[in-house]
Amino acid sequence: MNKISNRDKILTEGLKVVHERGFANASVRDIVQAAGVPQGSFTNHFVSKEAFGLEILDIYFAAGYELIRETLLNDDLPPLQRMGAYIDANMSRLNQSGMRNGCLFGNFTAEASDHSEIIRTRLVEIFGEVQGAVAYCLKAGIAAGEISPTLDCDELAGFFVASLQGANLLAKAVRNPEPVERFKHVLFSLILQRAG
Amino acid sequence: MNKISNRDKILTEGLKVVHERGFANASVRDIVQAAGVPQGSFTNHFVSKEAFGLEILDIYFAAGYELIRETLLNDDLPPLQRMGAYIDANMSRLNQSGMRNGCLFGNFTAEASDHSEIIRTRLVEIFGEVQGAVAYCLKAGIAAGEISPTLDCDELAGFFVASLQGANLLAKAVRNPEPVERFKHVLFSLILQRAG
């Protein structure tokens, strides 16, 4: 029982520390200190820092996927409204730290993807899952007559995922959500409206 | 003479090491080893790793600005052609490492902007300079009748800078330039063409 509890503390507090400081910058000592557990506890529960990194990515993704389910994949709402709600929900999530921490997936891609093939592969899968949900929503938008049937939904979904990552990154630099708001405005006023 | 030479070696080789491994991951020892200079040489020439970081950002930006001058700001070529050439030149530059290293500005934003206010401020300035050059090119495109005069050039330039950063980031994850090619295609086929 105690073992499970320490493991959870390391994951919960360690995710926060890595999100704030970066994966390389956050040492195992920082992580166990934040979790309030003995240093040996980390090696008891994780074979490596990389294995721990993979687990916190999955925890972060599970929370993000909840937002995706409530918005992009939510067939009870009109498709374009879902897309706007997804951007807003994501922005609110990142703005809990005044945009300072950025998106964990973007941070890991920038700093850790070249050091760990297994983390890089997982990031590619995660971006692919988000892209799939955006494409699903765009296709629903075509079916509902909200956007033009000439749109290449898969291409535009890939563009969406990358551009939102870029907006999150710039928002981290300027420490305000303006780049994300700009992405949303250009998407709706120049890409989707004109396609409609 | 020797002092200047060691300083240059540290900057040239240190930039490569930081670009490959990340700022936090690249230790001063890694940097002086790559430069082939004694460890003390680093502290002789840089008051801190942060000061060194600022200098390599400026070296990287000087090379990037050369591309900007040849493309976005080059009044001898038609504006939209310049914009396409800028995206291509940037992609070629990042593809020298098979997209593995990504853009140094994006990497620094993701991992170092929250640790150093002076680096964050410099990154915001750099992104602002690129955005200014893109806006200049878009305004030239309007003047030349290539794109619609209803476009908000400053907004679209900010969107461009963020989306290209995002495309570079995704390209780093998948290790191929496809996300950047997709950005270019969506920009020209859905945003600029429709605005024209």
Side-chain angles (χ1 to χ4, degrees), chain B residues 140-190:
Chain B
I142 289 178
E146 288 187 341
I147 51 178
S148 164
T150 62
L151 269 188
D152 179 339
C153 294
D154 294 320
E155 176 185 63
L156 194 55
F159 169 85
F160 179 106
V161 170
S163 292
L164 183 55
Q165 278 298 324
N168 289 336
L169 194 67
L170 269 284
K172 182 171 178 167
V174 297
R175 289 199 181 149
N176 75 59
E178 197 203 331
V180 182
E181 284 159 359
R182 193 167 49 204
F183 163 68
K184 187 182 173 190
H185 186 246
V186 169
L187 178 73
F188 280 92
S189 68
L190 290 179

Side-chain angles (χ1 to χ4, degrees), chain A residues 95-107:
Chain A
N95 210 13
Q96 283 165 7
S97 69
M99 309 307 277
R100 291 173 83 105
N101 295 343
C103 171
L104 193 71
F105 305 139
N107 296 349

